[in-house]
Amino acid sequence: MSELNPTNIEALKRRMQSVCSDPDKGLPGVSVAVVGRDGKQLFSHAAGKRGHGSSELMSVDSVFWIASCTKMITGIACMQLVEQGRLSLDDAGQIHRICPEFDDLRVLQEDGTLVEKNKGITLRMLLTHTSGFGYTFYNEKLRDYARPAGFDEFSGYAEEFNQPLVHQPGEAWEYGIGIDWAGVVLERVTGQSLNDYFHQHIFEPIGLKHISMLPTEEMKANLAYMHQRAADGQISVRDHLLRRALTVKSESDIKSYFNSGGAGCFSTAQDYSQILAILLNGTSPTTGKQLLKKETVDEMFRNQIENLPPLAEKYFPDAKAEFVQSGLGLHPTVEGDRQGWGLTFLLSGGSTGRSIGTAQWSGVANLRWWCDREKGVAGFICSQVLPYGDEQLFQLSQDVETEVYKGLAL
């Protein structure tokens, strides 16, 4: 269907308003965009304020740091090069020639010692979080390894990504900086910055103007505030994690800025939803441009880690509790759903009406997207609150999905 019932639209707006109704302990503001297979906006709405204590309303033009929702865009970019034969998913020798740093990578043990790795790293490993890289905020031994300075994956500096592995390549799924390294691979093969590549080969072909790794002045003027939720639920405005992206100005600063393929983009909900429409449909409904062949998208949506334990059993510690909450599993499972990982995103069903094998992922500042190719619908739910795992945002995303599927079933 090409539109949602007005009853469902009103219910969605009411639900968004309700989650922002408590100015101190609710969500400060949210923006949601939902698209169908034809790329038409089924729903687009914003509620609440631009920030806690702000008088400015959140709007559909509000810009969010989308954090790890960037990973899927990096996946599309890398798979374009795979289609062209410029990159191979499974040639470790090629990746090590492009990134000779990988030759010297070693594997961090629980006691803090380093051992030799037993195999090379492939692009497929980088895109599926099986390369052995981790994140300091989800891995305590990695967090502690570089004390007292530590690693800061949000600094905007490349040297923060020169981290040891936390397991042998190919032997486990560990959420980490692998997709940042996939972005480095792309930059070295194309000779372009990742941001420039995104603009030329993804954003511009489908007519997107409010998405970038280096926000324009107009985007910065519409930037939603970043927030921290305290243990008692109180919300307060905090400094931005990706501050350098918002302050670089000179040409040399821009050249030295690390374009994070794992977490570097800023976007409106609407612009990002148009990329989701590409995954649903294969071509841009607005410009008619095709970014990837259907068989390439099929491969991205195939479970790449069937040989590894189900992701529902994966435990995430809060190694940096300011950024993330601890938790078990990635998404609530339903019967018959093992959960898997495609090329840069989770594959998971759920109780909302979505199909098993629906793609989804999220961002550390509590944003969530889903893309259901079988039922032809995708959506993006945005907030700017730390730590990740905010119960109110998760419940909102579940309720938005449920209401959308109700509307589609009419």
Side-chain angles (χ1 to χ4, degrees):
M1 68 182 289
S2 58
E3 55 187 42
L4 282 177
N5 186 294
T7 309
N8 301 103
I9 288 172
E10 285 312 308
L12 285 165
K13 288 179 179 177
R14 282 196 305 274
R15 179 66 184 93
M16 290 172 67
Q17 210 57 52
S18 73
V19 83
C20 302
S21 60
D22 182 338
D24 292 320
K25 294 193 173 180
L27 290 172
V30 290
S31 182
V32 173
V34 181
V35 290
R37 202 186 301 280
D38 59 4
K40 286 188 184 152
Q41 211 91 48
L42 295 174
F43 179 74
S44 178
H45 187 64
K49 299 292 173 60
R50 183 180 170 193
H52 178 264
S54 169
S55 60
E56 293 178 78
L57 295 176
M58 190 71 86
S59 85
V60 294
D61 297 322
S62 293
V63 171
F64 298 81
W65 172 48
I66 65 170
S68 286
C69 302
T70 306
K71 289 178 167 68
M72 176 269 283
I73 306 173
T74 305
I76 290 173
C78 288
M79 293 308 289
Q80 287 179 332
L81 297 190
V82 170
E83 276 189 358
Q84 296 163 23
R86 298 170 76 185
L87 284 175
S88 161
L89 281 170
D90 299 305
D91 184 348
Q94 179 193 55
I95 296 303
H96 282 247
R97 283 192 298 278
I98 297 166
C99 294
E101 302 98 319
F102 286 7
D103 291 343
D104 301 321
L105 278 176
R106 293 194 292 166
V107 184
L108 182 62
Q109 305 299 290
E110 294 300 333
D111 63 1
T113 59
L114 295 165
V115 301
E116 296 301 317
K117 66 180 184 308
N118 59 22
K119 65 178 77 67
I121 291 170
T122 65
L123 179 60
R124 193 185 302 272
M125 289 177 188
L126 293 174
L127 298 179
T128 56
H129 295 298
T130 59
S131 59
F133 284 114
Y135 267 132
T136 54
F137 46 91
Y138 273 133
N139 190 292
E140 287 149 339
K141 70 180 178 184
L142 187 59
R143 174 199 66 195
D144 296 342
Y145 169 73
R147 296 293 195 209
F151 290 116
D152 176 6
E153 292 94 346
F154 305 124
S155 69
Y157 290 97
E159 57 264 28
E160 301 291 344
F161 295 85
N162 293 323
Q163 302 180 10
L165 304 179
V166 295
H167 64 72
Q168 290 289 352
E171 292 186 7
W173 187 94
E174 174 80 23
Y175 195 45
I177 60 170
I179 294 169
D180 287 288
W181 274 104
V184 173
V185 168
L186 181 142
E187 288 188 332
R188 292 179 183 179
V189 166
T190 63
Q192 285 183 286
S193 74
L194 192 59
N195 189 42
D196 286 349
Y197 182 94
F198 281 177
H199 278 276
Q200 185 178 343
H201 297 283
I202 299 175
F203 305 156
E204 287 165 16
I206 62 175
L208 305 185
K209 296 197 165 45
H210 303 105
I211 182 168
S212 184
M213 285 188 166
L214 293 169
T216 61
E217 291 306 314
E218 181 194 354
M219 287 174 70
K220 284 191 255 193
N222 288 322
L223 188 68
Y225 292 16
M226 186 61 65
H227 299 85
Q228 189 79 37
R229 190 185 293 283
D232 66 358
Q234 175 67 41
I235 287 281
S236 59
V237 176
R238 60 153 292 152
D239 292 343
H240 207 285
L241 260 67
L242 210 65
R243 186 173 177 278
R244 194 166 178 233
L246 302 168
T247 58
V248 292
K249 284 196 169 60
S250 72
E251 202 58 45
S252 62
D253 265 359
I254 290 168
K255 277 203 168 128
S256 70
Y257 177 70
F258 181 74
N259 288 201
S260 167
C265 278
F266 294 75
S267 182
T268 61
Q270 287 178 320
D271 268 24
Y272 191 85
S273 70
Q274 288 304 306
I275 303 176
L276 296 175
I278 289 278
L279 295 180
L280 286 178
N281 188 44
T283 56
S284 165
T286 47
T287 67
K289 292 276 174 38
Q290 184 182 48
L291 296 187
L292 291 170
K293 297 172 183 166
K294 181 184 180 296
E295 54 267 32
T296 306
V297 180
D298 290 344
E299 179 64 17
M300 291 181 78
F301 275 73
R302 185 179 68 79
N303 184 13
Q304 307 281 325
I305 58 164
E306 286 182 341
N307 60 318
L308 297 175
L311 291 179
E313 299 170 6
K314 172 75 178 171
Y315 175 68
F316 290 82
D318 55 348
K320 291 185 180 178
E322 175 190 4
F323 296 159
V324 295
Q325 297 181 45
S326 61
L328 183 67
L330 299 173
H331 192 73
T333 52
V334 290
E335 194 174 341
D337 182 13
R338 194 174 179 278
Q339 291 196 331
W341 191 265
L343 293 173
T344 63
F345 42 71
L346 177 67
L347 301 170
S348 176
S351 59
T352 59
R354 61 157 68 176
S355 315
I356 287 179
T358 291
Q360 70 165 77
W361 203 231
S362 45
V364 72
N366 284 291
L367 313 92
R368 302 180 72 88
W369 64 266
W370 93 97
C371 184
D372 185 343
R373 290 173 88 206
E374 190 178 316
K375 294 187 176 174
V377 64
F380 193 32
I381 298 100
C382 302
S383 71
Q384 297 279 257
V385 175
L386 295 166
Y388 177 73
D390 192 87
E391 182 55 40
Q392 293 184 51
L393 188 280
F394 176 75
Q395 194 54 56
L396 174 67
S397 72
Q398 291 292 94
D399 294 345
V400 166
E401 274 191 43
T402 301
E403 197 63 43
V404 167
Y405 283 109
K406 266 195 219 163
L408 291 174
L410 292 173

